Amino acid sequence: MEPRVGPIPKEDPEYHPYHHPAAGWGAAKSVTQFLVRERELVDGPRAIMKMNHENTGFDCPGCAWPDDTKGLKLDICENGIKHVTWEMTRKRVEPEFFAAHTVSELFEWSEFELEDQGRLTEPMVYDPDTDHYVPISWKDAFELVGSTLRGLENPNQASFYTSGRLGNEATFLYQLMARELGTNNLPDCSNMCHEASGRAMEASLGTGKGTVDLKDWESADALFIMGVNAASNAPRMLTALAEAYHRGAQIVHINPLVEAAATRTIVPHDFMDMALFKTTKTSTLNLQVRIGGDMALLRGMAKAVLEEARLDPKALDQEFIDRHTTGFDAYREVCENTSWAELERQSGVTRDDILKAARVYCDADRSIISWCLGLTQHEHGVDTVREIINLLLLRGNLGREGAGPSPVRGHSNVQGNRTCGIDHRPDDAFLDRLAEYCKIDPPREHGLDTVGTIQAMRRGDVKVFVGMGGNFALAAPDSPITYEALRNCDLTVQVSTKLNRSHLVHGRQALILPCLGRTEKDHQRKGLQSTSVEDSMSMVHMSVGMKRPASRHLLSEPAIVAGMARAALPASPTPWEWYIEDYDRIRDTMSQALDGFEDFNRRVRLPLGFRLKQPARELVFLTPSGGAEFSDAALPDVVPAPGTLALGTMRSHDQWNTTIYSDNDRYRGIKNLRELVFMNKDDMRERGISEFDPVDITSTARDGSHRHLNGYLAIPYDIPRGCAAGYMPEMNVLCALVDYSTQSDQPIMKHVKVTIEAAA
Ligand SMILES: Nc1nc2c(c(=O)[nH]1)N[C@H]1C(S)=C(S)[C@@H](COP(=O)(O)OP(=O)(O)OC[C@H]3O[C@@H](n4cnc5c(=O)[nH]c(N)nc54)[C@H](O)[C@@H]3O)O[C@H]1N2
Ligand SMILES: Nc1nc2c(c(=O)[nH]1)N[C@H]1C(S)=C(S)[C@@H](COP(=O)(O)OP(=O)(O)OC[C@H]3O[C@@H](n4cnc5c(=O)[nH]c(N)nc54)[C@H](O)[C@@H]3O)O[C@H]1N2
Ligand SMILES: [Mo]
């Protein structure tokens, strides 16, 4: 049995379907409870007022939703406040803590308890003789990393993971170190979230990012919100939805669950709304698609647009299609050849309902389609995102105000990480510039991503794993196999702010390197430093910490990278120490080496920063044909085999990926419970399962192997038949490593094939 992830509930589990609006007073109450628990009633609120402020505050370490363009004074959300407070906690993990507990003992603790110990304070090294972590100086820690890396037969025996909180400057140095060493093994968390979106947009439009910004959100006539739990995971989207509703825009939510954002909200920073309990609807139509059925639904909408165009040619933007796209005829053919019966079966949505969505789309002059993990963590994630682009192209919803694709990215700087070089498949143009301006000879051979790294560690081909933030052991699929892989390494290095599973699942040698968080002041030789981040909509801006560091031993992430690099690359042409004295120097190099970063130091200090050029937005398509390319992929069969269900793993309201704040999921009406599975009541009845009955879940992988989770409690939920859902990371044990998408190499975390039966 796996150690538990969430806290041990103090009371019995409860489930009461939730009928209150998203955000508002429920959020305020939850925040207050959290501030009290973290003993942050004084500094917490002060720091929160500094968050997301035009280049004078720090960027919220939560999601990647952009900051308000009008400099809103309180552009924050409940979950953002929790993320910040979590980092600012007064609790500390000192060397005495490690002296008191062996690693084997800590392994039995829940993830919640581990992180709840507070901030890491000193570098620690694993001592196999005593099974304790013991203090080590930074110098010796760097030397251990350096000598191990220097001792490898070839640089591809190391892999360098990034979790999306890392700022741009540290990111740039980190990839430079890896490439100077000679490897493109740069897995990152986006290999598990938006890899499919990047690949799809790259293929269709020539650049792997969305094209819209917040202003476009403010002028769209129709918003299609697909596969995202916005009220929990991108809460500031609620403001945009409420504003759109007031304006009379149509808002269509497409999700197997009717999530809180698909109902109504109290705009969290609008004090008058709060005082008057004024709610705003945030949806005009909800379609409960089956898990994996989005592509069929989108294709159905496209088919309806084409049918409409026979009566009203204006339904299509033929001029746009002729001037800017290729592949339209083949796409039209594939839409026409797919029967309504098949589209209904695969989407799980009736033709009438698909036509309703298509009506909204045809009536709107300007449409935005937004999506998150509900679309990407599937075998056919790339085809599905390309289908979004297909649909947008039909009506020229690209390159003009209020229209276009808008992926909701995850971690606050996951997009910036990719822009600044965390890419296991870098293109030659990027590498050529790196070679020219950094005087290195970067490897050209593609590197390993997340799944590839786990496979290689298992085989013994990767011997050194460096985790730049995150919690690789618990975030990755197939926990026991990922553990086995990490334990097979000669050295694992985790650069972290808090204790987590990845410190306890380690290689023969292991280091914990504690770093400054984003809220903290970063003093270097030339004074106080700031770092930059890029949001979901390509805005790059500064983040400046304002708190005293949690411990005087902490180093910044750029300094840790530089320390490792100097030790590993004694003859390096890169002036590592000089860079760390003043991050402007890193930015000067970035402005030469990275496309779009010209004049970086000046532009990033403008009040809202600057927006990276998005060629597709200007209708410049860096595709082989020079146009936006329709795709005509075949519709996959996503209907579960008889007796089986499609299970999606997702987040609860009170968690940040593997960081668990409580075992409540307020908007879904759950209290004191994480070990649950949401099921359709008819699927439950068919199996003789009642509410709160324990059930056994068995997944079947591509290779026929089975995985189990026993004793989870069944919750009857408004979810389509044949679908089930539960929480990550507990359910990662059901996700087989072999089940990754052949299109994006992303682990298939939203469509696990399972059987569920009453517990034996
Ligand atoms: N508070 C908080 N905020 C976060 C995070 C967090 O853990 N906590 N994580 C951050 C990160 S790294 C990321 S990547 C994002 C993730 O943000 P989300 O994508 O919202 O993450 P999930 O919780 O996995 O939720 C996926 C949503 O997809 C729906 N879904 C599942 N399967 C399907 C499907 O087949 N089709 C459709 N249309 N929908 C489906 C689920 O019902 C759910 O609403 O959030 C970021 N923001
Ligand atoms: N089954 C299933 N699995 C999933 C997903 C899913 O939907 N279903 N989602 C996937 C997705 S989208 C993602 S992004 C991954 C998340 O994967 P990761 O990004 O690897 O995991 P997190 O839980 O965000 O990492 C939390 C840890 O980050 C460290 N940390 C926090 N702040 C900082 C900082 O400022 N600097 C440094 N160096 N460390 C810091 C802390 O030590 C904390 O314990 O999980 C993936 N796993
Ligand atoms: Mo993510």
Side-chain angles (χ1 to χ4, degrees):
M1 187 77 185
E2 281 291 305
R4 71 181 297 123
V5 172
I8 301 193
K10 295 190 188 71
E11 290 162 56
D12 287 342
E14 288 177 37
Y15 169 51
H16 310 286
Y18 190 81
H19 295 299
H20 303 292
W25 287 108
K29 183 173 158 212
S30 158
V31 163
T32 312
Q33 286 169 344
F34 189 75
L35 288 172
V36 170
R37 193 183 82 200
E38 298 292 315
R39 288 178 267 152
E40 270 301 347
L41 269 172
V42 182
D43 280 357
R46 204 181 323 145
I48 287 154
M49 301 300 282
K50 277 287 222 179
M51 194 153 79
N52 296 341
H53 265 212
E54 300 181 352
N55 275 342
T56 57
F58 56 88
D59 186 63
C60 176
C63 74
W65 189 259
D67 298 341
D68 185 84
T69 49
K70 298 182 282 298
L72 194 70
K73 280 293 162 279
L74 208 56
D75 185 22
I76 51 175
C77 73
E78 171 193 352
N79 279 339
I81 294 171
K82 288 183 193 155
H83 308 324
V84 171
T85 315
W86 172 92
E87 181 175 300
M88 297 194 332
T89 179
R90 283 158 204 261
K91 302 177 198 167
R92 297 287 179 271
V93 179
E94 314 266 5
E96 297 74 41
F97 171 86
F98 288 107
H101 306 283
T102 62
V103 169
S104 317
E105 182 195 337
L106 291 174
F107 184 82
E108 300 302 320
W109 292 23
S110 72
E111 201 61 24
F112 175 84
E113 286 170 293
L114 293 175
E115 292 213 9
D116 197 37
Q117 300 311 307
R119 290 285 301 275
L120 296 160
T121 55
E122 287 185 39
M124 306 293 291
V125 65
Y126 181 66
D127 175 2
D129 294 335
T130 60
D131 191 32
H132 282 277
Y133 272 103
V134 295
I136 181 173
S137 69
W138 279 106
K139 187 168 166 285
D140 290 348
F142 291 147
E143 187 43 40
L144 175 58
V145 180
S147 60
T148 313
L149 288 171
R150 288 195 310 269
L152 294 176
E153 289 145 31
N154 101 52
N156 289 325
Q157 291 178 328
S159 189
F160 298 91
Y161 175 70
T162 316
S163 153
R165 268 193 201 181
L166 195 66
N168 289 331
E169 292 73 12
T171 298
F172 183 76
L173 295 186
Y174 191 51
Q175 62 84 34
L176 185 62
M177 170 179 76
R179 295 193 164 113
E180 230 181 287
L181 277 165
T183 182
N184 284 312
N185 287 349
L186 288 160
D188 73 338
C189 69
S190 72
N191 299 149
M192 298 184 265
C193 43
H194 273 290
E195 191 69 43
S197 306
R199 301 251 184 129
M201 290 188 290
E202 189 82 47
S204 294
L205 304 175
T207 25
K209 297 182 187 179
T211 65
V212 309
D213 61 18
L214 267 192
K215 284 210 193 73
D216 294 315
W217 275 72
E218 285 161 14
S219 53
D221 305 312
L223 294 165
F224 295 85
I225 312 294
M226 307 186 71
V228 57
N229 174 17
S232 298
N233 296 337
R236 287 178 298 148
M237 188 201 281
L238 291 173
T239 311
L241 296 181
E243 193 272 330
Y245 187 84
H246 279 307
R247 199 173 67 228
Q250 298 293 307
I251 308 169
V252 181
H253 292 266
I254 296 168
N255 196 313
L257 310 184
V258 179
E259 300 281 27
T263 55
R264 65 215 156 88
T265 184
I266 296 182
V267 178
H269 52 254
D270 192 326
F271 295 111
M272 279 315 282
D273 284 7
M274 288 278 277
L276 300 172
F277 286 90
K278 193 174 134 217
T279 67
T280 304
K281 280 184 71 174
T282 44
S283 169
T284 55
L285 178 66
N286 290 336
L287 297 181
Q288 286 180 267
V289 69
R290 84 157 74 247
I291 285 183
D294 301 86
M295 186 171 166
L297 191 149
L298 290 159
R299 189 155 286 179
M301 287 173 67
K303 186 178 172 79
V305 173
L306 293 165
E307 283 176 1
E308 167 101 0
R310 286 205 210 108
L311 308 171
D312 174 10
K314 285 207 294 297
L316 285 181
D317 188 340
Q318 197 61 54
E319 197 193 318
F320 180 93
I321 295 172
D322 295 342
R323 274 186 66 175
H324 298 294
T325 74
T326 62
F328 171 63
D329 291 336
Y331 181 59
R332 176 167 53 196
E333 202 176 316
V334 78
C335 289
E336 286 171 353
N337 290 345
T338 316
S339 70
W340 278 110
E342 183 62 2
L343 293 167
E344 285 187 315
R345 203 171 89 85
Q346 292 298 336
S347 66
V349 178
T350 63
R351 176 182 179 178
D352 276 357
D353 279 343
I354 300 177
L355 291 179
K356 277 186 205 154
R359 184 76 268 146
V360 171
Y361 184 60
C362 285
D363 287 347
D365 218 15
R366 300 182 262 216
S367 290
I368 286 176
I369 305 183
S370 183
W371 70 94
C372 200
L373 302 185
L375 269 72
T376 58
Q377 292 178 326
H378 290 273
E379 162 58 28
H380 50 278
V382 174
D383 286 346
T384 304
V385 175
R386 293 200 69 180
E387 199 71 17
I388 289 180
I389 308 296
N390 289 341
L391 184 60
L392 289 169
L393 294 178
L394 287 182
R395 290 181 46 76
N397 275 310
L398 194 78
R400 57 191 176 87
E401 198 182 311
S406 185
V408 180
R409 303 299 304 259
H411 269 295
S412 52
N413 197 38
V414 59
Q415 186 156 315
N417 293 157
R418 197 46 75 89
T419 307
C420 298
I422 304 298
D423 190 348
H424 61 288
R425 304 156 69 237
D427 61 37
D428 280 334
F430 172 85
L431 295 176
D432 290 345
R433 283 179 76 149
L434 204 63
E436 183 177 349
Y437 293 105
C438 299
K439 310 277 178 293
I440 67 164
D441 182 15
R444 303 280 160 166
E445 185 193 341
H446 285 176
L448 298 169
D449 65 356
T450 293
V451 169
T453 294
I454 301 170
Q455 291 167 332
M457 290 190 297
R458 265 188 105 194
R459 288 193 306 265
D461 292 344
V462 162
K463 299 174 189 298
V464 177
F465 175 90
V466 181
M468 213 27 176
N471 187 358
F472 190 85
L474 205 60
D478 225 345
S479 317
I481 291 203
T482 296
Y483 290 6
E484 182 192 312
L486 285 163
R487 287 178 173 137
N488 201 26
C489 286
D490 288 342
L491 173 67
T492 49
V493 181
Q494 301 290 348
V495 180
S496 317
T497 51
K498 288 214 179 165
L499 188 63
N500 67 37
R501 188 71 40 205
S502 300
H503 305 130
L504 313 175
V505 178
H506 55 80
R508 279 175 281 284
Q509 302 196 83
L511 285 168
I512 302 177
L513 304 182
C515 65
L516 293 175
R518 202 177 277 171
T519 56
E520 290 167 329
K521 288 187 178 148
D522 180 357
H523 279 289
Q524 301 294 346
R525 183 119 183 256
K526 298 280 175 185
L528 188 65
Q529 303 299 314
S530 46
T531 56
S532 64
V533 292
E534 175 185 345
D535 68 30
S536 242
M537 301 189 194
S538 305
M539 287 295 301
V540 182
H541 61 94
M542 278 296 203
S543 174
V544 198
M546 41 81 69
K547 275 223 22 155
R548 208 163 55 134
S551 143
R552 65 194 167 83
H553 302 292
L554 301 183
L555 291 187
S556 73
E557 286 165 324
I560 294 175
V561 176
M564 293 193 293
R566 173 52 75 213
L569 297 157
S572 171
T574 306
W576 298 102
E577 296 83 1
W578 184 78
Y579 274 150
I580 301 312
E581 290 178 359
D582 181 352
Y583 300 170
D584 275 2
R585 295 169 180 168
I586 312 175
R587 281 185 286 269
D588 280 339
T589 302
M590 292 169 79
S591 70
Q592 295 176 307
L594 298 177
D595 192 25
F597 281 75
E598 301 74 25
D599 204 8
F600 189 13
N601 268 312
R602 185 187 62 81
R603 288 196 298 153
V604 77
R605 290 182 166 90
L606 297 172
L608 290 167
F610 67 96
R611 185 148 200 262
L612 283 170
K613 270 202 307 278
Q614 215 323 359
R617 170 70 198 223
E618 317 301 324
L619 300 177
V620 173
F621 302 105
L622 308 174
T623 54
S625 67
E629 301 191 358
F630 277 98
S631 74
D632 57 357
L635 208 58
D637 183 3
V638 296
V639 181
T644 70
L645 301 169
L647 171 90
T649 61
M650 58 186 186
R651 291 145 180 80
S652 81
H653 181 65
D654 257 4
Q655 81 183 78
W656 177 271
N657 301 331
T658 65
T659 298
I660 311 298
Y661 299 126
S662 86
D663 49 9
N664 300 334
D665 191 0
R666 192 169 79 249
Y667 296 141
R668 298 195 185 108
I670 297 291
K671 264 184 104 168
N672 312 322
L673 181 63
R674 288 186 55 84
E675 292 81 10
L676 59 72
V677 55
F678 295 111
M679 294 177 72
N680 179 288
K681 62 180 185 336
D682 293 327
D683 286 330
M684 286 174 64
R685 192 177 311 124
E686 202 175 83
R687 290 164 174 76
I689 300 168
S690 309
E691 181 169 316
F692 285 126
D693 276 0
V695 296
D696 293 342
I697 311 172
T698 302
S699 67
T700 304
R702 228 169 235 168
D703 61 4
S705 59
H706 299 297
R707 284 160 184 73
H708 307 275
L709 257 187
N710 295 339
Y712 270 46
L713 305 189
I715 301 291
Y717 206 81
D718 182 10
I719 185 171
R721 281 209 76 173
C723 300
Y727 301 133
M728 62 82 73
E730 285 88 340
M731 286 192 163
N732 285 12
V733 295
L734 293 170
C735 303
L737 190 67
V738 290
D739 284 349
Y740 57 87
S741 163
T742 53
Q743 307 189 337
S744 66
D745 302 316
Q746 259 190 256
I748 303 174
M749 293 162 158
K750 290 283 183 282
H751 192 156
V752 186
K753 294 177 177 164
V754 298
T755 54
I756 301 184
E757 50 194 41

